[in-house]
Amino acid sequence: MATTTAAAATALKKKQGERKVQTYDWEGLNSSGKRVKGEMRGVSPQSVSVELRRQGVVPTRVKQQKQTLMATLNKRPVNSKDITIFVRQLATMMDAGIPLVQSLEILSSGQQNPTMQQLIDTIREDIESGSNLADALRKHPGHFDTLFTNLVEAGETSGTLESLLGRIAKYKERTESIKGKIKKALVYPAAVIMIAIAVVTVIMIFVIPQFEELFRNFGADLPAFTRIVINVSNFLVSKGWILGIGLFIFGYVTISAWKRSEKFQRFVDNAVLRIPVIGTIMHKAAVSRFARTLATTFAAGIPIVESLDSVAGASGNVVIGDAVKRMKTQMATGQSMVFAMRQETVFPHMLRQMAAVGEETGSLDEMLNKVADFYEEEVDNAVDALSSLLEPFILVLIGGIVGFLVVALYLPIFNLGNVVG
C-alpha cells in the first residue's frame, strides 16, 4: 500500500509542471479514527489527498482556501531584498542541520507575501521531484541570476552548500547595503524636487489665474516678471495636457530604450560616471560590487575566467561590465588578471595594487573583500557629504522659485499707487 501511494505521489508530481501551489483546508480521520483538520499547500486537491494519506490521514474533505482581502493586499512582486532575506534564512537553517526540503517548507509557511510563498513552494516542489537546488533556482532567472545559481551549483558539487549559502547571503546583504546607500543619496533630493514641482504646478494652474483677473482691472502694463508667469500659467491651463502626454511618452520611450538597447545603457552609464560627485559615488559603488562579486566567486572555487561574465553583470554599470569582459578576453589568451586589469582605466589604482598582492600571496579573495569594504565605506562617506551639500542647495532652489513667484505676483500691487497717481 505504501509503495502504491509513493508511486502515485511521484506520478502526480511529474504532472504538476508549472501549476500554482495553493493553500487547502482539509478534514479527515487519523490512524486512530479520530477526526482531524488543518491546512496544507499543494498544486491540486488530489496532491493534498495523496500527501495526507502518506501521513496516515484519510481525507474526507479538501477545499481550496478563498483569497482573502488581506492576502490580496499583501501580495506584491518579489524584490531583491526578499531574496536576500530568503537566502540568509535558508543558510541559517541548513547550517543548523535542517534538511533542505524541510527548510523550504518552514520558510514558505512563514511568508507574508503570497508571491514569495509561491516562489519557495515551486522551488521545493522541483527539489522533491528530483531536481537539485541550482536547477530549481535556474527556472526563475528573474530572481536568481547566473552568478547566484553558479555559486549554488559549486556548493552542491563540493558538498559545502551550507557554508556557501552563508557566503552568498553575506554577499547579497553587502550588495543590498550599497544599493541602499545609493538610494539614500538620490531619493531624498528627488522626492523634494518632485513635491516642489507639484506645488508650483498647482499654483500655476489654480492660483495665478485668480491674480490675472485682478490685474486686468489695473489698466496698466504689467512688469515682465508678471507677464512671464501669467503666460506660463495660461499655457499650463490651456495646453498643459500636451506637456503631460509629452513627458509620459518621453519617459516611456526612455525606459523602453534602457531595457532593450545596450548601447543606450552604455551611453547613460557613461554619462552618469561623468556627473560631479554623483558619478564618483556610482563609480565607487560599481567597483565595490565588482570586487565583492569576484571575491565571492573565487572563494567558491569557480575559475575566474568562467565567472567574469557573471561578475560583469553584477557590477551594475555597463561601462565597467565592458571592461570586465575585455579582461576576460585577455585572460583567455594567457594574460594574468592583474595585467588585464591594468589595461582598463575604469579600475582605480588601489584595486589593481591589492589584486596584485592577492594574486602573488594566494589570498586574492581576502584582498578583494578588503577593497570592497574600503569602497563601501567611501560610498557611505560620500553619500553623507552629498546629502549635506544638497540640502542647502535644494532649499535655495525652492526658495528662489517661490521668491520669483511672489515677486511676480505682488510687483503689480506694489506699483498700484503709481498707476492710480
Side-chain angles (χ1 to χ4, degrees):
M1 177 66 180
T3 305
T4 304
T5 303
T10 302
L12 184 61
K13 286 176 182 177
K14 289 181 179 179
K15 293 180 181 179
Q16 287 170 358
E18 297 296 325
R19 296 169 66 184
K20 291 184 178 180
V21 179
Q22 307 288 346
T23 302
Y24 294 86
D25 293 319
W26 59 266
E27 294 180 3
L29 301 174
N30 62 14
S31 57
S32 302
K34 182 179 179 180
R35 184 168 294 279
V36 292
K37 62 181 180 179
E39 63 179 38
M40 181 179 292
R41 291 181 62 78
V43 297
S44 67
Q46 292 78 13
S47 68
V48 173
S49 298
V50 169
E51 180 62 23
L52 288 172
R53 289 191 176 91
R54 190 179 68 83
Q55 297 182 15
V57 176
V58 179
T60 57
R61 185 179 73 91
V62 178
K63 185 177 181 180
Q64 181 180 334
Q65 283 186 354
K66 293 183 178 180
Q67 188 81 348
T68 63
L69 176 61
M70 186 59 66
T72 303
L73 294 175
N74 287 334
K75 192 171 184 178
R76 56 178 175 78
V78 176
N79 56 36
S80 58
K81 186 176 181 180
D82 294 327
I83 298 299
T84 300
I85 295 173
F86 163 70
V87 177
R88 170 53 68 191
Q89 292 174 335
L90 182 60
T92 302
M93 288 185 176
M94 293 194 65
D95 191 52
I98 302 176
L100 176 58
V101 173
Q102 187 178 351
S103 297
L104 292 172
E105 288 177 350
I106 295 172
L107 291 177
S108 173
S109 62
Q111 294 297 320
Q112 294 183 342
N113 181 8
T115 309
M116 187 66 195
Q117 188 178 56
Q118 175 73 44
L119 175 63
I120 297 174
D121 282 333
T122 304
I123 294 170
R124 177 178 59 81
E125 290 286 337
D126 286 337
I127 293 173
E128 288 180 334
S129 299
S131 297
N132 57 34
L133 180 58
D135 290 337
L137 297 179
R138 284 192 177 99
K139 295 182 179 179
H140 311 278
H143 304 304
F144 305 99
D145 57 20
T146 304
L147 172 65
F148 192 108
T149 54
N150 286 347
L151 289 172
V152 171
E153 185 176 37
E156 288 182 310
T157 303
S158 61
T160 58
L161 181 60
E162 296 84 356
S163 61
L164 197 52
L165 280 174
R167 190 183 295 273
I168 296 172
K170 184 177 180 180
Y171 161 73
K172 296 285 288 183
E173 288 164 352
R174 293 295 186 91
T175 302
E176 286 299 310
S177 175
I178 202 73
K179 286 182 180 179
K181 292 170 184 176
I182 298 298
K183 290 180 180 178
K184 178 182 175 182
L186 301 178
V187 169
Y188 169 72
V192 173
I193 291 175
M194 291 297 293
I195 293 174
I197 292 174
V199 171
V200 170
T201 302
V202 170
I203 292 174
M204 285 289 187
I205 294 177
F206 297 102
V207 178
I208 302 299
Q210 304 300 322
F211 277 85
E212 182 184 9
E213 187 68 25
L214 175 64
F215 295 154
R216 286 199 185 102
N217 299 323
F218 280 6
D221 292 336
L222 297 176
F225 280 179
T226 307
R227 289 199 304 271
I228 292 173
V229 171
I230 290 177
N231 290 336
V232 173
S233 174
N234 290 334
F235 173 79
L236 291 177
V237 171
S238 63
K239 299 182 180 179
W241 61 274
I242 298 177
L243 179 62
I245 293 176
L247 291 175
F248 175 80
I249 294 175
F250 175 78
Y252 178 79
V253 171
T254 301
I255 294 174
S256 299
W258 171 265
K259 292 180 178 180
R260 299 176 183 179
S261 173
E262 189 172 334
K263 289 184 178 180
F264 185 73
Q265 291 182 22
R266 188 174 292 106
F267 170 79
V268 173
D269 285 352
N270 189 50
V272 168
L273 293 179
R274 297 176 183 273
I275 299 175
V277 184
I278 293 179
T280 301
I281 293 176
M282 300 299 287
H283 182 228
K284 290 180 178 179
V287 170
S288 173
R289 284 194 295 267
F290 162 76
R292 181 80 64 195
T293 307
L294 187 59
T296 303
T297 56
F298 182 80
I302 301 176
I304 292 181
V305 176
E306 294 180 11
S307 67
L308 283 180
D309 281 333
S310 300
V311 173
S315 66
N317 186 284
V318 176
V319 176
I320 292 181
D322 289 341
V324 175
K325 291 176 182 178
R326 289 193 294 269
M327 279 178 53
K328 177 184 177 180
T329 301
Q330 292 197 47
M331 293 174 64
T333 61
Q335 300 290 351
S336 69
M337 186 190 73
V338 175
F339 179 85
M341 190 179 293
R342 283 173 177 163
Q343 312 306 310
E344 304 296 337
T345 58
V346 295
F347 298 118
H349 178 73
M350 178 183 177
L351 173 62
R352 297 196 295 263
Q353 289 298 108
M354 293 290 280
V357 172
E359 203 169 42
E360 291 175 3
T361 60
S363 57
L364 182 61
D365 58 330
E366 182 181 352
M367 293 296 105
L368 289 174
N369 275 320
K370 288 182 178 180
V371 171
D373 290 338
F374 172 79
Y375 280 108
E376 285 176 7
E377 186 175 353
E378 287 281 295
V379 168
D380 199 13
N381 295 334
V383 166
D384 291 338
L386 179 62
S387 299
S388 301
L389 178 66
L390 284 177
E391 285 180 7
F393 173 77
I394 291 173
L395 290 176
V396 170
L397 177 63
I398 295 175
I401 295 173
V402 173
F404 178 83
L405 291 176
V406 170
V407 170
L409 292 178
Y410 284 95
L411 190 57
I413 298 177
F414 295 152
N415 294 336
L416 182 59
N418 295 331
V419 173
V420 175

